[in-house]
Amino acid sequence: MASLYIKDEETSRLAQELAERRQLTKTAAVRLALTNELAKDQPEQSLHDVIAELRRTSTLKFDPTVVIDKAFYDSLNDEEDG
């Protein structure tokens, strides 16, 4: 089993604080922090790619004939104009 010994007191304190806030072990807190930092280095998907993926995987169907206006929102709440 691998072990991680943090010699720096401030780093150890930060790991302990994160562990307490998230109700984790110190090791899990360090893993979480490292995972989050490494994820920041991953190239971000373009908005176009994100939308394309959502459209591909969504169970909702897009209807280009629907006009999203006040009347549409009112119809969601069964409200009448007037």
Side-chain angles (χ1 to χ4, degrees):
M1 182 166 146
S3 64
L4 175 66
Y5 177 71
I6 301 173
K7 296 177 184 178
D8 180 69
E9 287 183 28
E10 177 65 8
T11 304
S12 181
R13 185 192 67 74
L14 290 169
Q16 184 63 40
E17 183 178 340
L18 181 60
E20 289 171 2
R21 286 186 185 188
R22 301 289 168 84
Q23 298 179 347
L24 302 169
T25 64
K26 217 170 171 180
T27 300
V30 171
R31 182 184 309 115
L32 175 65
L34 293 171
T35 299
N36 288 339
E37 284 303 309
L38 289 170
K40 290 178 184 178
D41 291 343
Q42 296 297 319
E44 291 186 29
Q45 284 184 304
S46 71
L47 183 56
H48 179 271
D49 291 341
V50 171
I51 291 171
E53 178 68 11
L54 287 173
R55 283 189 174 164
R56 188 183 68 74
T57 60
S58 176
T59 58
L60 300 174
K61 299 302 175 204
F62 175 70
D63 183 354
T65 64
V66 174
V67 177
I68 309 297
D69 58 4
K70 183 179 182 322
F72 172 80
Y73 285 109
D74 288 346
S75 72
L76 295 176
N77 296 316
D78 296 325
E79 295 178 9
E80 299 287 330
D81 282 340

